[in-house]
Structures are given as C-alpha cells and as structure tokens.
Amino acid sequence: MKKLSLLFCALLVSGSAAYAQQSSKKQQIISMANKTLDLAVRQYKLMMQHVPDSVLPRTTNSKDGSFVTAKTDWWTAGFYPGTLWYLYEYSKDNVLKQEAIKRTAQVEVEKNNKGTHDLGFMLYCSAGNAYRITKDPKYKEVLLTSARSLSTRFNPKVGCIKSWDHGRWQFPVIIDNMMNLELLTWATRTSKDPSFDRIARTHANTTMKHHFRKDYSSFHVIGYDSTNGAVLARNTAQGANDTSAWSRGQAWGLYGYTLMYRDTKDKSYLAQAQHIADYILNHPRMPEDLIPYWDYDAPGIPNAPRDASAGAVAASALLELSRYTRGETSARYWNAAEKMLESLSSPAYLAKEGENNNFILMHSVGSIPHNSEVDVPLTYADYYFVEALLRYKQWAK
Ligand code: GLY
C-alpha cells in the first residue's frame, strides 16, 4: 500500500513537471510569435508606402531584387489584403485597417470572374477575413457572388471544379483547388443554399479518389475527361516530375482536408488529412527544421531550395488538425507546427526590418519548372505564416 502511494506521488510529480515544461514552452513560443508579429506589422506598414494603387504585392525579382506586383486577376491578389486584416486583428492599428479596406475593395472586382478556380484564395482570404472581422454586410454580398461564380466551374460528370482554362488538359484539376472549397462551405452556412456545400463535398471526394497515391502523396494535376469523368492524365506542373511529391501541393492537400473536416465533420476528411500529415512528417527527406525542400523528390537534395511557403501552409494546417485529434497524435501535429514556426521565425527565414521588399519571409519557391519565383519571398507565404502565428497564440491557451 505504502509502495502504491509512493508510486502515485511520483507519477503526480512527474506529470506536473511535464505540464509545467509544456506550458513554459508555449509561453516561450507565444512571446516569439508576438515579436515576429510586431516585426510583420512594421514591415507591412513600410510595404504600404510603395505598393502602387493599381496592383498588389506578389514577390521579388530574383535577378535584380526589385519588387514584383500583380493585377487583381492573379491568383495571389487576395493575400496582401488578407495579411493586412490579420495584422490589424493582432495590432488594432487603424492604419492597417484602412489599407486592408482599400485593398479588399480593389480585389472585389474579381467576384464575377468565372475564368479561374482561384476565387477562394482571392476573395475568401481578403473579403472573408474582412467579413469575419467587421461583419459589414457588403463583404457578405462579395463572397456569395464569388461562390456563385466559382460554382459555374463545377462539372457534375467529373465531380470537380475545373481549375484551369489553359494547358494541355481537357479538364485539369490541381490539388491546390482544395483550398477554394472553404468559400463554398461558408456560402452554404450563410445562405442556407445547400448547393455550394454539395459541390465542395463532391470535389473533395473525387479528389480523394484520384489525386492520391498509395502512400498518400498527391499528384499535382489530374486531367479528366469532361464528358464522363475518366482520368486521362496524372501530371505535374510545378513539381519535379509527374511522380514526385511537390511540397506546396502536399501542404494544400493537408490544409484542404483539414478545413473540409472542420466544415462537415465527415470523418473520411479527417482521416485523409492525417494520412497526408503523416506522409509529410515521416518523410525521410524532410529536413530537421521541418521546412521542406520545394519538392520531396527534388534533384540535388540536400542542396535544393527550400519552400518556406509550404512550411507556413503546413504549420497552419497542423495546428488546426491537432485540435481534431487526441493524445500523442495531437501533440505530434502541434509540436511539428511549433517547430515550423520556430524555424520560420529564425534569421534563416525571417527578413530583417526594412529588407526583403518588406515581405516577412524569405526563401520560398513559386515554380522551378517554369524558372519562376525561385528562392524569393511570396505574398502567400506571409499570409499563412501570420495566420499560423495567430492560430498558435489563440489555441495555445
Ligand atoms: N496555387 C498555385 C501555387 O501554389 O503555386
């Protein structure tokens, strides 16, 4: 009996020591996140001063270091306003809010664009955050119109939203498209029209069937026959080759199935997100700092460029996935995200104030096969990084 009580006391003491250690680690990361977010606020207030009115920040030209912008119809247009909304939410700085309002209004014109699948990226990240934060009904109208435009690209014979109107495929669908489903599930919750949600679920189910290999890595592009949904091609556009695991694509899939589980509570989406997370985290070529090379099968590893954007997207998704899982599994996802945020907040990836054309992160990759945006800052790396830092602060509690 005495032995049992001693054992019980020892367990209690070691349990509370582990708890204290965990919570002091969380405090440490929260204070790191605050420092990084303070820097991000200062960087974006500097950036504001040199973004021409007619365009939006995109990246840096790797040859001459100049600031590269994009028009509103480029897929990344919504990330700058989205990041401004997040930074306003953090800082309550009215200067950021005014710039966020102006830049969200600028992107709004794309709500009628039926020529791209990227409306979720462009409008849910901008107007979606604007509506979440301000509750101004004008943003609701923008989002519902965008959801209707996106829905026109759904083909029931294929069971997917068409990604591109260009390229060699009859009906191309890319893994990135999972990210646009959030706009549709939101639209059903808000309008009570079930058709948006039905499209999102059908797209996610079709993608689950055809986009993944046995090891749960994903192809980048699936080419479908638009008349009967047959798979005609499995290719890459931005990865190393057709059979490789393009890092950002893996992160889009992870984030996409996590958000589909959040919005539907369908357990098959949770299982899929976990399979993808496990593929990434157990990958033998995942570097120690958990910021992936641009492709898990990139030539030249360990001397291949890293992709900080893939790390930022994965970190944000893993924090959320950790909330839908329990015990050791949940801790594994949380700890991996924590490590990614620590790495991204270190001088290896985080820009110094006033440098990097005022983007927050360095060292992302747009598309190596197109020799475009190699080892540069990218507006979406900043967006998902800031989102992940805010998520960490909110959920660590
Ligand atoms: N959605 C395009 C990309 O991830 O580069």
Side-chain angles (χ1 to χ4, degrees):
M1 189 62 190
K2 202 168 162 196
K3 262 193 193 154
L4 263 183
S5 344
L6 273 174
L7 182 67
F8 179 73
C9 285
L11 281 175
L12 207 65
V13 169
S14 74
S16 22
Y19 177 79
Q21 205 176 18
Q22 236 176 38
S23 84
S24 96
K25 174 77 182 176
K26 279 185 181 166
Q27 279 315 318
Q28 185 195 321
I29 305 294
I30 288 173
S31 80
M32 176 202 79
N34 286 335
K35 252 176 81 183
T36 305
L37 287 164
D38 289 340
L39 170 75
V41 166
R42 295 196 298 276
Q43 281 285 73
Y44 269 56
K45 286 179 82 170
L46 290 172
M47 186 188 271
M48 273 175 56
Q49 296 166 25
H50 65 93
V51 188
D53 275 349
S54 56
V55 288
L56 296 131
R58 174 173 164 179
T59 182
T60 286
N61 181 322
S62 57
K63 289 187 188 74
D64 61 15
S66 59
F67 185 55
V68 178
T69 56
K71 296 200 184 121
T72 59
D73 62 356
W74 182 241
W75 77 277
T76 63
F79 293 115
Y80 175 60
T83 308
L84 290 164
W85 281 115
Y86 276 142
L87 292 175
Y88 162 67
E89 199 173 19
Y90 167 73
S91 64
K92 303 290 178 287
D93 186 327
N94 199 44
V95 173
L96 291 172
K97 185 181 184 186
Q98 292 317 311
E99 176 75 352
I101 291 171
K102 174 175 144 187
R103 297 302 181 162
T104 303
Q106 187 182 348
V107 180
E108 180 185 328
V109 59
E110 299 304 327
K111 69 185 176 189
N112 295 312
N113 185 345
K114 298 185 179 73
T116 175
H117 72 135
D118 285 321
L119 294 185
F121 281 126
M122 294 151 89
L123 289 140
Y124 199 72
C125 297
S126 54
N129 277 309
Y131 185 58
R132 183 178 62 77
I133 292 169
T134 66
K135 299 283 175 282
D136 185 331
K138 76 176 176 222
Y139 296 121
K140 183 160 130 182
E141 182 279 318
V142 173
L143 291 162
L144 288 173
T145 305
S146 308
R148 281 191 287 271
S149 297
L150 181 57
S151 299
T152 64
R153 300 184 65 79
F154 179 72
N155 176 334
K157 295 247 167 53
V158 177
C160 275
I161 296 160
K162 189 181 184 192
S163 290
W164 297 330
D165 291 342
H166 58 267
R168 60 190 195 269
W169 305 273
Q170 197 191 110
F171 191 101
V173 179
I174 63 174
I175 188 68
D176 324 27
N177 207 338
M178 285 298 301
M179 299 295 284
N180 295 307
L181 305 183
E182 204 167 13
L183 172 65
L184 299 179
T185 52
W186 174 90
T188 284
R189 278 199 307 283
T190 305
S191 67
K192 307 292 175 234
D193 174 349
S195 67
F196 302 113
D197 185 75
R198 213 162 31 232
I199 290 174
R201 287 175 197 248
T202 309
H203 182 100
N205 294 343
T206 307
T207 298
M208 193 142 70
K209 206 153 134 200
H210 298 304
H211 248 94
F212 290 86
R213 308 183 182 105
K214 279 204 172 67
D215 61 3
Y216 294 100
S217 67
S218 54
F219 295 99
H220 184 197
V221 190
I222 298 292
Y224 290 99
D225 183 323
S226 61
T227 63
N228 59 18
V231 172
L232 302 176
R234 297 178 178 86
N235 298 128
T236 197
Q238 286 163 255
N241 57 65
D242 289 347
T243 58
S244 76
W246 173 51
S247 299
R248 197 164 50 255
Q250 313 313 303
W252 290 144
L254 170 63
Y255 195 119
Y257 281 98
T258 304
L259 80 83
M260 281 304 289
Y261 175 69
R262 176 221 301 150
D263 288 348
T264 65
K265 293 293 170 259
D266 181 329
K267 286 253 163 45
S268 68
Y269 300 144
L270 177 62
Q272 190 71 7
Q274 286 193 242
H275 288 312
I276 302 168
D278 295 344
Y279 172 81
I280 292 174
L281 296 178
N282 295 330
H283 201 288
R285 288 185 290 282
M286 173 62 105
E288 215 166 287
D289 68 1
L290 299 189
I291 306 304
Y293 299 101
W294 68 278
D295 190 303
Y296 289 91
D297 303 295
I301 288 175
N303 298 316
R306 303 294 188 89
D307 181 11
S309 78
V313 173
S316 192
L318 285 167
L319 288 175
E320 185 167 13
L321 187 58
S322 160
R323 289 164 65 75
Y324 306 141
T325 47
R326 293 278 165 268
E328 268 180 34
T329 306
S330 168
R332 193 155 50 85
Y333 298 150
W334 182 268
N335 294 340
E338 198 173 69
K339 174 80 195 162
M340 289 167 171
L341 293 182
E342 277 186 287
S343 300
L344 294 174
S345 297
S346 78
Y349 298 94
L350 190 68
K352 289 204 184 87
E353 189 170 341
E355 297 184 2
N356 204 37
N357 284 319
N358 307 116
F359 289 101
I360 305 163
L361 287 175
M362 308 180 282
H363 304 313
S364 288
V365 166
S367 180
I368 286 198
H370 298 92
N371 195 20
S372 166
E373 303 175 335
V374 180
D375 195 14
V376 287
L378 289 168
T379 174
Y380 44 97
D382 284 6
Y383 176 87
Y384 290 102
F385 180 45
V386 169
E387 177 183 86
L389 291 168
L390 293 178
R391 284 179 164 192
Y392 189 94
K393 274 164 59 71
Q394 191 187 345
W395 295 335
K397 293 177 197 142

